[in-house]
Amino acid sequence: MNYFENFKIIIFSISVIIINIIAILLNIDSNTLDDSQAYLTIGETNDSIGGIGMSIDESEDLFTFDKKFKVDAVLKRYSSSDYNTYGLLNDNMTSKVIDVPYIYQTIKYPTECESVSATSVLQYYGIDVSVDTFIDNYLPQAELKVIGYKGNNERILSSMHPNEYFIGNPKSYSGLGCYQDTIANAVNSLLKDYQLEEYFTVTAYDNLSIEDIQEYLENDVPVIVWATQNLVPSEKGLKWYLGDTNEVFQYMKNEHCMVAIGYDDDYIYFNDTLIGRVAYPKWLLEKRYLQMGSRSVIIEYVT
C-alpha cells in the first residue's frame, strides 16, 4: 500500500513539473529563441480591396482592370536566434506592398508551393483559375521511379528534370517540387487556353538580383521566387537518373517557392504559402535565393 501511495506521489510530481515547463515555454520571449523560428505579428495589412480583376472589351479588344480581391492576411516578421526583429516592430517599416491574393498550400497541396504561388499571381491579374485547375490541367508531372537497388539496398531512382516537370505528386506529402521553367511553361499554356497570351509576358529567370526584384515590386509586379522553407539552409537530397540517360540529377532539399509582394529597407515581403504574409530579412533571403539557383518567374501584363 505504501509503495502504491509513493508511486502516485511520484506521478503527480512529474505531472506538475511537466505542466510548469509547458507554461514557461509558452511565455518565452522571442529574444530567447534558440534553434526555432517564430513569426511575430505586427498588425493587419491594408484592409482595402486589393488585386486586379480583368475584363476584355471585345468591341475594341481592350483590357480593363477592376478591383476584385480582398487581402486580409496578417503581416508577420521573421525572427530567429540569428536575426531577431523583436523590439523593432512599428507601423512605419512598410515601404511597398502589393495586394496579391493569399492561398495556403497546407493540407490540400502539401508539396505544391510552386503552383499555389503561380495561381495567386494569376488571380492578382484577375484570371479566374483555381489551384486544382492549374495542377490538374497545366502542370506537367513526372513519377520518381525505383529502377534498381545498390548492394546496401539503397534505391536507384529515375525521373525527369524539375525544370521540365513537377517531380512526384504535388497533392501528396511525398512530392518534391519543380523549377522556374516548368511553372513558366504551365502559365503560358493556361494563358493560351484562356486566350490571354497576347496580354501577358511570362519569363523564367535564373539571374535576377534582389534589386531587380524590388524594381518589379515598385511597379506593382509580384515576383515568384525560389528559396528554402523558413529560410533554413538547403541540403543535398535525392539523386536520380534523368530519363533514360546516364546523367544524374542532384535534388536539393528544403526547396520552397513564394510570391514576393513588397519590400522596405531591410526586408522583402512574401506571400509564403506555408505560413502567411512574412517579411524576410534581405541578407538571409539572398543567401537562400542564391543557394537555390536565383530562380524566379515574372508574369507581367503587357501595357
Side-chain angles (χ1 to χ4, degrees):
M1 188 70 176
N2 289 336
Y3 174 82
F4 181 73
E5 291 295 327
N6 289 337
F7 180 77
K8 287 199 299 184
I9 292 172
I10 292 171
I11 295 297
F12 176 78
S13 300
I14 292 173
S15 300
V16 171
I17 292 171
I18 292 173
I19 291 172
N20 287 331
I21 290 173
I22 292 173
I24 291 171
L25 290 174
L26 290 175
N27 287 283
I28 284 180
D29 184 275
S30 63
N31 281 303
T32 65
L33 291 173
D34 292 322
D35 298 322
S36 62
Q37 285 78 41
Y39 297 89
L40 309 177
T41 298
I42 64 169
E44 298 296 327
T45 57
N46 187 346
D47 197 35
S48 63
I49 301 300
I52 301 174
M54 87 174 178
S55 61
I56 300 176
D57 185 340
E58 296 182 356
S59 61
E60 299 183 17
D61 197 27
L62 297 176
F63 213 20
T64 59
F65 288 140
D66 300 306
K67 291 292 184 179
K68 183 175 180 180
F69 298 102
K70 182 175 182 178
V71 177
D72 55 6
V74 173
L75 178 62
K76 306 171 183 179
R77 291 193 181 277
Y78 178 89
S79 176
S80 74
S81 59
D82 296 324
Y83 194 87
N84 201 329
T85 65
Y86 189 80
L88 300 177
L89 309 182
N90 58 66
D91 296 330
N92 301 315
M93 297 181 74
T94 300
S95 173
K96 175 77 176 183
V97 177
I98 309 169
D99 276 339
V100 178
Y102 181 80
I103 306 173
Y104 277 110
Q105 74 173 86
T106 52
I107 302 177
K108 193 171 183 181
Y109 317 106
T111 55
E112 196 28 71
C113 51
E114 302 93 346
S115 290
V116 173
S117 294
T119 300
S120 70
V121 173
L122 290 168
Q123 289 181 0
Y124 166 72
Y125 288 114
I127 299 173
D128 186 14
V129 59
S130 68
V131 178
D132 285 306
T133 296
F134 188 90
I135 293 174
D136 295 342
N137 298 344
Y138 300 101
L139 181 70
Q141 300 166 40
E143 182 183 357
L144 189 62
K145 301 176 183 178
V146 178
I147 59 174
Y149 292 88
K150 296 182 180 179
N152 58 359
N153 286 329
E154 181 182 351
R155 296 178 301 169
I156 302 173
L157 303 172
S158 174
S159 190
M160 305 303 290
H161 198 288
N163 238 347
E164 299 173 347
Y165 295 86
F166 183 96
I167 308 303
N169 180 357
K171 297 183 181 181
S172 164
Y173 284 96
S174 63
L176 292 181
C178 64
Y179 294 156
Q180 72 276 17
D181 284 354
T182 303
I183 291 299
N185 292 337
V187 171
N188 274 320
S189 295
L190 182 145
L191 292 173
K192 183 176 181 180
D193 275 2
Y194 279 53
Q195 299 181 349
L196 295 172
E197 69 269 32
E198 65 181 293
Y199 299 103
F200 293 92
T201 59
V202 182
T203 311
Y205 290 101
D206 61 5
N207 58 358
L208 288 185
S209 67
I210 297 299
E211 291 73 23
D212 293 331
I213 292 172
Q214 290 182 180
E215 186 173 346
Y216 277 109
L217 296 174
E218 188 62 35
N219 290 292
D220 295 320
V221 177
V223 183
I224 302 171
V225 173
W226 273 254
T228 60
Q229 298 178 19
N230 299 331
L231 299 190
V232 300
S234 184
E235 303 171 1
K236 289 183 178 180
L238 295 174
K239 294 190 294 186
W240 60 80
Y241 286 103
L242 291 175
D244 296 328
T245 72
N246 291 324
E247 184 179 355
V248 176
F249 176 80
Q250 174 68 67
Y251 183 74
M252 301 300 291
K253 294 196 294 186
N254 302 322
E255 177 253 326
H256 189 40
C257 186
M258 309 176 286
V259 182
I261 61 170
Y263 70 94
D264 60 24
D265 290 342
D266 299 311
Y267 300 89
I268 301 291
Y269 297 177
F270 286 91
N271 277 0
D272 187 326
T273 57
L274 287 171
I275 299 167
R277 278 194 158 184
V278 180
Y280 284 124
K282 289 181 184 178
W283 70 268
L284 184 56
L285 169 72
E286 186 170 26
K287 288 178 67 174
R288 305 305 180 224
Y289 172 63
L290 291 172
Q291 195 173 40
M292 293 307 298
S294 301
R295 304 178 189 279
S296 63
V297 170
I298 302 290
I299 305 171
E300 193 170 10
Y301 173 61
V302 178
T303 57

